[in-house]
Amino acid sequence: MTRFRPGRLLLQLSCLLIAIWLVAPTLVVIPMSFADRKSLAFPPQGFSTQWYANFFANPQWFGSLVVSLKIAAMVAVVATIIGTMAAIGIERLKTRAGGIIRVLLLTPMIVPGVVLAVGIYAVYLDTRLVGTWTGYVLAHTLLAIPFVVIAVGANLAVFDARLETAAASLGASRLTTFFTVTLPLILPGILSGALFAFVTSFDEVIVSLFITSPQLKTLPVQIFSSMTRDADPTVAAVGSLIFLATTLIIGLGLIFGLRRRGA
Amino acid sequence: MSVLTGRAPRGALLLTLPAIAVLLLVMAVPFGVIVLRSFAEPVPGLANYVWFFQTPVNLTVLARTFTIAFWVTASCVLVAYPYAFAMSIAGPRLRLVLIMCVLVPFWVSGVVRTLAWVILLQDSGVINRILLALGFEKVRLIRTQLGVTIGMTQVLLPFMIMPLYAVMRGIDLRLLQAARSLGAHPVKSFFQIYLPLSLPGVFAGATLVFILSLGFYITPLLLGGPQSTMLSTLIQQQVLSLLSWGRGGAMGVVLLVATFGVLALAGPFMRRRYQISGGSR
């Protein structure tokens, strides 16, 4: 074993560096957000909370946050229902057709964002969906469905279908069986699918950039336009807030998920 | 009968219909419109494609897109391999920490992550300060191909680490012990046993990273400059700035074909590898 030691040390060292490289860039925005002056020079000078104040006071910023939260909530509901239905359908098909449908439903994850965005923009221009709630929710739902299909599908794969047969043999109707047996057992998958759908919508920027309007703008679009306009540390304040919120949500989801699995 | 084991596949198909409808309306129709316009605007024919492949700038950008995607993929493989290996042999607690480190950047807003890289890579940024403090020369990072590659590699690393880890977790480490007990040098047993068994994960992750790199938009736009423009930016310029839907559409079709072409080339290759290694399938 002693012969392996230098290799092991090298492995530990490189992993430490990679972990820092993965995490540190994300954390840079936190000190940045307390900068004193309107600049993105690092390390920031002085200390102030003016950028947080600006975020909450400026309707451009806070309004776009509210828009994003509403859209993400709607997407979470729509994509979770549609995606869960699809995952159950795929699981039931069990055949080649099921596999093909699954692959098709996962393609939005890998198609180039700008090509999709240009296409959606073209269609939305003709159907007057640019800058509308429906437009955002539809586009984000397309991008969120794969995550729901994966999450619920993974749960269904370990689901014992004989439980349903048992319920049916005891006289339960299909709907009763679904709501009292199937649904509670695949709930963890559905919940994590909903969480992923929410985050996908909340984070989506490319398609949103194309279908945005001055009246209805999501937060990532606002962040992006601010970044291309000037060096405004408000962006860093938003980044820190999102980081905090997402970490809290995912942390809670993780705890909830672990407890579920343990139960 | 039950929901999952029911008899009529028609019912099952029905359940997938809403999702397929969204797919058709919001993806298939838009792609159809792009393809149509690339052949129809401003005049019917192949003019847009002829223009694309006869304009040197476009070919330069196309080549650069593939070059950057290649370097990002190669860097991801090199960085992810030891990390995923460590994840697969670590104890439960350390493993959780390592997984968290992979996931934290994954779920923090993509645009904000790019902002962080702008702060780090700028001329008076952290990396250049460190380089100066160590006595090196200042390096131009922002608005260069190197800067774009560094930023994209970090953003895409989780997509490489996760499939690799999934495969490595299933490799029986006793095979390495067996090789060593038979007298094989650790280096030799790694290259002859561990590496071939982990290749399916490398292929899966590399394909994913390469495809995603080809279509990257935000990171190259914010970290890059005129010398590191990628195809996505060019498409956006054609459509939004020049209002040339035909040319933009043709570029979009080229990018789509490239993406699915890479996928089609890698697909059967990956599947065969899976069978040889007797892995998860």
Side-chain angles (χ1 to χ4, degrees), chain B residues 132-205:
Chain B
L132 281 179
L134 292 175
F136 290 103
E137 294 248 320
K138 227 179 186 182
V139 183
R140 193 95 224 267
L141 290 168
I142 193 114
R143 274 175 267 288
T144 65
Q145 219 158 297
L146 180 63
V148 173
T149 308
I150 293 175
M152 281 175 67
T153 303
Q154 194 252 359
V155 173
L156 287 169
L157 201 54
F159 294 95
M160 187 75 225
I161 291 179
M162 289 326 253
L164 247 184
Y165 167 63
V167 170
M168 283 178 170
R169 203 174 45 172
I171 297 177
D172 193 341
L173 286 174
R174 284 173 303 183
L175 288 171
L176 287 178
Q177 286 174 3
R180 228 154 6 114
S181 73
L182 292 171
H185 189 268
V187 175
K188 193 181 175 190
S189 63
F190 170 79
F191 279 104
Q192 289 211 326
I193 295 169
Y194 196 85
L195 187 67
L197 285 174
S198 65
L199 276 183
V202 175
F203 283 123

Side-chain angles (χ1 to χ4, degrees), chain A residues 149-204:
Chain A
V149 170
I150 289 175
V152 179
N155 214 323
L156 284 171
V158 294
F159 174 80
D160 189 348
R162 284 173 302 180
L163 290 171
E164 293 192 325
T165 320
S169 75
L170 293 170
S173 72
R174 279 177 70 168
L175 271 184
T176 313
T177 308
F178 178 74
F179 281 107
T180 57
V181 178
T182 317
L183 192 62
L185 282 171
I186 61 169
L187 198 61
I190 294 177
L191 285 178
S192 67
L195 188 70
F196 273 113
F198 186 94
V199 173
T200 303
S201 165
F202 191 74
D203 201 28
E204 205 289 321

Side-chain angles (χ1 to χ4, degrees), chain A:
Chain A
M1 267 325 229
T2 35
R3 200 154 26 127
F4 251 73
R5 280 281 156 79
R8 195 152 278 245
L9 191 71
L10 195 70
L11 183 68
Q12 283 166 345
L13 201 70
S14 55
C15 281
L16 185 70
L17 283 174
I18 296 166
I20 292 174
W21 188 53
L22 274 167
V23 176
T26 318
L27 303 178
V28 162
V29 293
I30 296 174
M32 204 70 242
S33 67
F34 294 106
D36 209 359
R37 270 174 296 158
K38 189 165 182 166
S39 117
L40 288 178
F42 196 91
Q45 305 293 312
F47 178 89
S48 86
T49 52
Q50 56 174 313
W51 310 112
Y52 287 92
N54 181 42
F55 173 71
F56 287 106
N58 186 333
Q60 286 273 337
W61 282 105
F62 193 70
S64 65
L65 169 71
V66 175
V67 168
S68 271
L69 286 176
K70 283 183 184 167
I71 291 173
M74 287 189 267
V75 170
V77 172
V78 177
T80 305
I81 294 174
I82 294 180
T84 303
M85 283 168 65
I88 292 174
I90 290 166
E91 182 71 22
R92 272 186 65 186
L93 280 168
K94 284 275 185 213
T95 49
R96 262 186 87 105
I100 292 170
I101 291 176
R102 189 183 139 86
V103 169
L104 280 179
L105 289 181
L106 297 188
T107 40
M109 291 178 88
I110 55 142
V111 294
V114 167
V115 185
L116 185 66
V118 167
I120 290 179
Y121 183 52
V123 173
Y124 279 15
L125 280 177
D126 289 338
T127 49
R128 299 185 174 211
L129 281 171
V130 173
T132 62
W133 296 96
T134 319
Y136 278 114
V137 173
L138 265 177
H140 290 182
T141 299
L142 171 82
L143 296 167
I145 285 176
F147 293 98
V148 181
V149 170
I150 289 175
V152 179
N155 214 323
L156 284 171
V158 294
F159 174 80
D160 189 348
R162 284 173 302 180
L163 290 171
E164 293 192 325
T165 320
S169 75
L170 293 170
S173 72
R174 279 177 70 168
L175 271 184
T176 313
T177 308
F178 178 74
F179 281 107
T180 57
V181 178
T182 317
L183 192 62
L185 282 171
I186 61 169
L187 198 61
I190 294 177
L191 285 178
S192 67
L195 188 70
F196 273 113
F198 186 94
V199 173
T200 303
S201 165
F202 191 74
D203 201 28
E204 205 289 321
V205 60
I206 302 179
V207 178
S208 303
L209 270 176
F210 279 78
I211 62 171
T212 190
S213 76
Q215 288 76 36
L216 200 65
K217 206 193 298 178
T218 63
L219 187 59
V221 172
Q222 170 68 19
I223 296 175
F224 183 85
S225 41
S226 164
M227 277 177 71
T228 46
R229 210 171 37 233
D230 54 11
D232 184 352
T234 310
V235 179
V238 183
S240 308
L241 287 173
I242 295 178
F243 177 68
L244 189 72
T246 327
T247 309
L248 275 178
I249 294 172
I250 304 255
L252 285 177
L254 216 62
I255 293 167
F256 187 71
L258 286 178
R259 193 175 302 156
R260 273 267 160 189
R261 213 168 297 151

